[in-house]
Amino acid sequence: RKEVEQDPGPFNVPEGATVAFNCTYSNSASQSFFWYRQDCRKEPKLLMSVYSSGNEDGRFTAQLNRASQYISLLIRDSKLSDSATYLCVVNINNDMRFGAGTRLTVKP
Amino acid sequence: GAVVSQHPSWVICKSGTSVKIECRSLDFQATTMFWYRQFPKQSLMLMATSNEGSKATYEQGVEKDKFLINHASLTLSTLTVTSAHPEDSSFYICSALNPGLMNTEAFFGQGTRLTVV
């Protein structure tokens, strides 16, 4: 079993749609969690950290369920510029483990 | 601004030559840096963990004699692709964690696109 697993995608959605990505992790000792965004031929960039209480940043909402070892990212009112690959990342004692990424394409 | 700088951003080399890629942490001293490789339309694959002052830890299947990693200072790690072949053409990315902050995000370099001809 992979340490971090994500929805394989790709997700193709129209502008304005709401889309949700899921991620599960296998190591219960995982300590911190992140969503990164990677554009084509670019390095990953931090989108948001994920906290146990859940957190929101504009159109983006991230949630963590430690009991189920599950992380989610919700994007509301999606924009064309949201098209990218979204990576779920887990930090285990400063050892970062990445999911394979979920590709999102938002279409007009 | 970038806190991890990677150089060069792209390089084309002849088959059989070696290529060195540098990764520098600009705002902090990075005791640990990570090197990844990413083929087109595939996910990031961790190649090795670079530890300052000691040998790198390589992931299974990564040839340590082919991908030489040197982390001689707290702000610089280098990856040398030795005797490069066309199948080594890929996007190489480094990242670093700020050791002063536990469980924070990783900061990535801009990546190096290597093309071996």
Side-chain angles (χ1 to χ4, degrees), chain A residues 31-32 34 36 38 40-46 49 87 91-101, chain B residues 34 36 38 42-44 46 49 59 91 93 97-99 101-111 113:
Chain A
Q31 292 159 314
S32 53
F34 309 93
Y36 277 73
Q38 186 177 23
C40 189
R41 304 170 77 91
K42 299 283 188 180
E43 76 276 20
K45 294 186 178 178
L46 180 67
S49 302
L87 303 169
N91 185 331
I92 308 168
N93 291 322
N94 277 350
D95 182 8
M96 305 292 280
R97 294 291 165 174
F98 287 77
Chain B
F34 304 92
Y36 299 86
Q38 187 175 35
Q42 294 189 23
S43 60
L44 286 170
L46 179 66
T49 301
E59 295 297 299
F91 190 48
I93 312 175
L97 293 171
N98 187 336
L101 304 169
M102 277 299 291
N103 299 316
T104 62
E105 72 269 25
F107 299 95
F108 284 87
Q110 300 93 327
R113 189 158 304 280

Side-chain angles (χ1 to χ4, degrees), chain B residues 28 34 39 56-57 77 92 101 109:
Chain B
F28 57 91
F34 304 92
F39 293 105
T57 304
S77 176
Y92 292 85
L101 304 169

Side-chain angles (χ1 to χ4, degrees), chain A:
Chain A
R1 182 185 172 189
K2 293 182 180 177
E3 289 181 292
V4 181
E5 294 199 66
Q6 292 185 239
D7 284 348
F11 285 64
N12 298 304
V13 302
E15 267 187 295
T18 295
V19 60
F21 302 140
N22 301 316
C23 172
T24 56
Y25 59 95
S26 60
N27 192 329
S28 59
S30 301
Q31 292 159 314
S32 53
F33 311 89
F34 309 93
W35 284 101
Y36 277 73
R37 169 193 170 130
Q38 186 177 23
D39 293 292
C40 189
R41 304 170 77 91
K42 299 283 188 180
E43 76 276 20
K45 294 186 178 178
L46 180 67
L47 178 65
M48 59 197 303
S49 302
V50 188
Y51 304 116
S52 297
S53 55
N55 48 300
E56 186 174 309
D57 182 3
R59 299 182 292 109
F60 299 85
T61 301
Q63 293 198 313
L64 166 65
N65 184 321
R66 284 188 183 270
S68 302
Q69 295 183 191
Y70 170 95
I71 306 158
S72 66
L73 175 68
L74 183 75
I75 305 176
R76 290 181 299 277
D77 188 25
S78 51
K79 311 291 184 189
L80 296 176
S81 57
D82 293 333
S83 297
T85 297
Y86 291 83
L87 303 169
C88 172
V89 182
V90 172
N91 185 331
I92 308 168
N93 291 322
N94 277 350
D95 182 8
M96 305 292 280
R97 294 291 165 174
F98 287 77
T102 302
R103 185 170 182 81
L104 170 67
T105 301
V106 181
K107 298 184 175 180

